[in-house]
Amino acid sequence: MNGQILHGGDLISASARYNIPQDQWLDLSTGINPDSYPVGELATEVFQRLPYQQQVFADAVTGYYGTDEWLAVNGSQPVIQALPLCLEKLPVLLPDVGYDEHRHHWAANGNPLAFYPAFDLNAASDQIERRLSKGEPFHLVVINPNNPTGLEFSKVQLCNWAERLAGKGCLIVDEAFIDTQPAISVLNEPLSDKLIVLRSFGKFFGLAGLRLGFVFASDQLRSQLQQRLGIWQVNGVAQGVATNALSDLDWQRGARQDITLNAERTALLLAPLMDALQPDRVAQTPLFSSWQLDADIAAQVQDLLAQQGVLVRLIPLSERKALLRTGIISRYNWDAIDRLDGAVNACIELLNHQGEAHV
Ligand SMILES: Cc1ncc(COP(=O)(O)O)c(C=O)c1O
């Protein structure tokens, strides 16, 4: 079989693997809001002109995030790639499960890595505290809330850890999924030079293809990143759309309510499958949920759903365990509701059938 699926939303590989055309998938493999911000008509200039940073865009960004200490980038991904090259080469403490690009780029840069458990708040905090108490410099990476485990630290806790990091150690807080609950963002606290915050525009606004993100950091680090990433990181279309979206408080309020209701509807549709599978644990966040299962069962369910044209994300944890992560559907998308309902029932039937065959 060809078409190895690397990240969520990879319909090209899924199509190649399952021989289902891209436009026939129900994609539940990401945590992207399915009811995206309506882009509307854009001025022709945003396509024609070179994308120098517009003042209206800057004002909208500062208004939304509540600080002007940002650098706009082509999604938070390029910052994840560039940070190891810009920061002091220190050991790094990361979540043992999380958006894997962090681990990948620190490892590629040769930083020694250590991990804290990413499912349990107390166990994670204990491990971070133990490391801090040694007084040796290191960088700490936190994904808040964690994708895919849902682990969430308080902003007070995070700021306290940032203050206590020794030497040139920094705290990197990836808030890609925080826009549904902005009150818990560390950006509400005074920013210290030891704190670096990443924000992703694509998830909450449902426009991941636009490629827009922001990094909040000291002046010095922002200019280092800017030099490394180069000019025109954010194109004119992204600036035009984001200027409207970031200023549209009514849409943002409505989207938060819709996401909650869509998550409830999705959970209801998946409930029979959850009952049948009895996951070891379940992480529920507004834009995605993750179920921990035996690795072979998780792979089987992912495969059975994919055969029905429903793509969910399989995240291996160990030889024995894996996560199935599902995004949300729009509760007004009747086709998606029917598809998911049908696929869940078909999947349960096939699992039962296989169970009987093995008796
Ligand atoms: C936790 C987390 N951080 C960062 C990213 C990168 O997103 P983007 O480059 O679109 O901002 C992702 C993408 O899925 C993610 O899950």
Side-chain angles (χ1 to χ4, degrees):
M1 271 200 273
N2 55 4
Q4 194 197 1
I5 298 168
L6 292 178
H7 274 295
D10 185 1
L11 291 179
I12 296 175
S13 305
S15 295
R17 184 162 170 184
Y18 290 96
N19 201 20
I20 298 174
Q22 276 187 62
D23 59 0
Q24 286 176 27
W25 284 91
L26 170 59
D27 184 12
L28 282 185
S29 69
T30 75
I32 297 166
N33 181 359
D35 292 329
S36 49
Y37 183 77
V39 173
E41 293 230 338
L42 292 171
T44 314
E45 293 85 68
V46 301
F47 297 94
Q48 289 176 323
R49 293 188 184 152
L50 282 169
Y52 292 98
Q53 192 162 284
Q54 299 294 315
Q55 191 56 45
V56 281
F57 168 71
D59 291 344
V61 176
T62 299
Y64 182 78
Y65 293 105
T67 162
D68 59 5
E69 292 174 73
W70 50 265
L71 172 71
V73 280
N74 181 21
S76 50
Q77 179 66 31
V79 181
I80 293 172
Q81 294 174 206
L83 275 177
L85 306 168
C86 296
L87 297 179
E88 191 83 358
K89 193 156 183 178
L90 296 174
V92 186
L93 183 60
L94 299 126
D96 62 354
V97 180
Y99 184 57
D100 214 30
E101 292 286 316
H102 289 284
R103 184 194 54 75
H104 177 71
H105 291 285
W106 288 107
N109 192 51
N111 294 62
L113 306 185
F115 299 92
Y116 61 85
F119 282 98
D120 181 90
L121 185 62
N122 290 333
S125 305
D126 283 354
Q127 184 135 339
I128 293 168
E129 284 290 343
R130 266 202 304 280
R131 187 68 186 255
L132 280 166
S133 68
K134 289 188 184 162
E136 290 160 7
F138 68 98
H139 300 306
L140 174 59
V141 174
V142 167
I143 304 167
N144 212 42
N146 182 296
N147 165 25
T149 72
L151 184 72
E152 197 177 286
F153 297 104
S154 77
K155 58 190 174 196
V156 175
Q157 175 75 91
L158 291 172
C159 290
N160 173 278
W161 285 337
E163 286 299 306
R164 288 162 54 205
L165 281 165
K168 297 215 161 148
C170 285
L171 169 61
I172 296 117
V173 186
D174 176 347
E175 296 190 334
F177 286 96
I178 215 161
D179 298 64
T180 51
Q181 37 183 348
I184 72 163
S185 167
V186 278
L187 293 179
N188 297 305
E189 303 293 309
L191 280 178
S192 91
D193 279 0
K194 294 197 153 281
L195 187 59
I196 299 159
V197 184
L198 309 184
R199 293 290 289 258
S200 178
F201 177 82
K203 314 227 173 333
F204 173 65
F205 290 96
L207 297 170
L210 201 62
R211 306 307 307 141
L212 180 61
F214 299 92
V215 55
F216 300 80
S218 65
D219 289 350
Q220 198 200 345
L221 180 59
R222 290 198 326 268
S223 64
Q224 240 180 307
L225 281 165
Q226 177 144 45
Q227 274 175 30
R228 193 166 277 282
L229 297 175
I231 50 172
W232 301 322
Q233 270 277 306
V234 179
N235 66 63
V237 178
Q239 287 191 44
V241 172
T243 301
N244 298 334
L246 293 171
S247 320
D248 195 340
L249 300 184
D250 285 344
W251 185 89
Q252 293 161 20
R253 257 191 300 273
R256 286 190 187 103
Q257 284 166 4
D258 279 338
I259 287 169
T260 305
L261 295 171
N262 288 341
E264 283 170 14
R265 188 77 180 94
T266 310
L268 220 56
L269 287 161
L270 289 168
L273 191 54
M274 189 174 316
D275 282 351
L277 295 172
Q278 294 290 316
D280 305 335
R281 54 179 148 202
V282 177
Q284 216 114 32
T285 78
L287 284 167
F288 62 84
S289 25
S290 303
W291 308 358
Q292 184 178 301
L293 298 163
D294 286 350
D296 52 345
I297 303 274
Q300 198 183 5
V301 172
Q302 187 268 340
D303 190 51
L304 289 174
L305 289 173
Q307 287 171 30
Q308 318 291 320
V310 173
L311 191 62
V312 301
R313 182 94 159 91
L314 178 69
I315 301 168
L317 297 176
S318 64
E319 269 182 26
R320 289 181 43 245
K321 295 288 173 187
L323 291 179
L324 269 191
R325 195 196 62 197
T326 51
I328 59 171
I329 54 158
S330 167
R331 67 195 185 286
Y332 299 118
N333 184 343
W334 306 115
D335 179 51
I337 291 172
D338 282 350
R339 298 272 310 275
L340 184 54
D341 193 38
V344 162
N345 288 326
C347 184
I348 293 171
E349 222 165 89
L350 286 162
L351 286 169
N352 286 340
H353 202 64
Q354 284 172 3
E356 280 161 20
H358 286 130
V359 176

